[in-house]
């Protein structure tokens, strides 16, 4: 683990904090593959003090971490599928390769897919050397 702010592990720990993950949260991870950022994954599991769960979890989750690449298919379908176990008020963090990396997802594609899936895009942040995260939430409805 790097003790310098420029190191990958230090960046991953800071990213896990920026994503708002806290001990006790249940985070569902979808779209994991051999290209995902392991340092970020470990930092998230350290932040929640547990392992992330997969699509077979069978209960509600506080947030979804969705790894998505340009060749993964229809983004709207992926987003809708990620809502299945999400608790009301939960967050989807859409992780996509940064611009210039293989299989990067165009920001316009995310902006177009989110509302079709019933989601609002709030923020985007760099979370590792190769990945960025876009925060998606269900819009608040008037009481």
């Amino acid at each position: 683990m790097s003790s310098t702010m420029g190191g990958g592990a230090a960046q991953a720990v800071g990213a896990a904090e920026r994503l708002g993950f806290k001990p006790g949260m249940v985070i569902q991870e979808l779209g994991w593959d051999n290209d995902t950022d392991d340092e970020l994954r470990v930092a998230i599991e350290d932040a929640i003090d547990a392992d992330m769960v997969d699509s077979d979890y069978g209960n509600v989750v506080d947030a979804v971490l969705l790894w998505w690449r340009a060749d993964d298919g229809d983004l709207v379908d992926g987003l809708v599928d990620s809502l299945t176990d999400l608790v009301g008020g939960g967050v989807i963090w859409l992780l996509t390769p940064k611009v210039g990396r293989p299989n990067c997802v165009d920001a316009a594609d995310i902006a177009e897919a989110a509302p079709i899936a019933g989601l609002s895009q709030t923020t985007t942040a760099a979370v590792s050397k190769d990945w960025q995260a876009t925060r998606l939430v269900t819009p608040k409805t008037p009481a």
Side-chain angles (χ1 to χ4, degrees):
M1 193 181 271
S2 171
S3 62
T4 62
M5 288 309 291
Q11 182 180 6
V13 170
E17 292 170 357
R18 285 193 311 276
L19 297 176
F21 297 145
K22 308 254 185 267
M25 291 180 82
V26 178
I27 309 300
Q28 184 177 56
E29 181 183 36
L30 304 173
W32 178 91
D33 207 339
N34 60 2
D35 64 344
T36 56
D37 188 300
D38 286 333
E39 287 180 351
L40 177 60
R41 295 180 73 246
V42 168
I44 291 168
E45 289 182 336
D46 286 349
I48 64 173
D49 197 27
D51 291 338
M52 289 186 278
V53 299
D54 62 16
S55 60
D56 296 330
Y57 180 61
N59 206 339
V60 295
V61 297
D62 298 303
V64 173
L65 195 71
L66 176 61
W67 299 93
W68 197 265
R69 301 140 199 94
D71 64 0
D72 281 347
D74 185 65
L75 180 55
V76 174
D77 288 345
L79 292 173
V80 169
D81 289 348
S82 68
L83 290 166
T84 303
D85 297 327
L86 189 63
V87 70
V91 173
I92 296 171
W93 282 102
L94 176 65
L95 288 109
T96 56
K98 287 182 177 177
V99 173
R101 305 302 197 279
N103 284 316
C104 72
V105 177
D106 192 278
D109 292 342
I110 298 169
E112 182 180 315
I116 295 170
L119 297 164
S120 294
Q121 182 177 338
T122 60
T123 59
T124 300
V127 291
S128 75
K129 181 172 90 64
D130 295 318
W131 293 86
Q132 64 185 11
T134 302
R135 185 175 188 265
L136 303 169
V137 297
T138 53
K140 293 186 174 157
T141 55

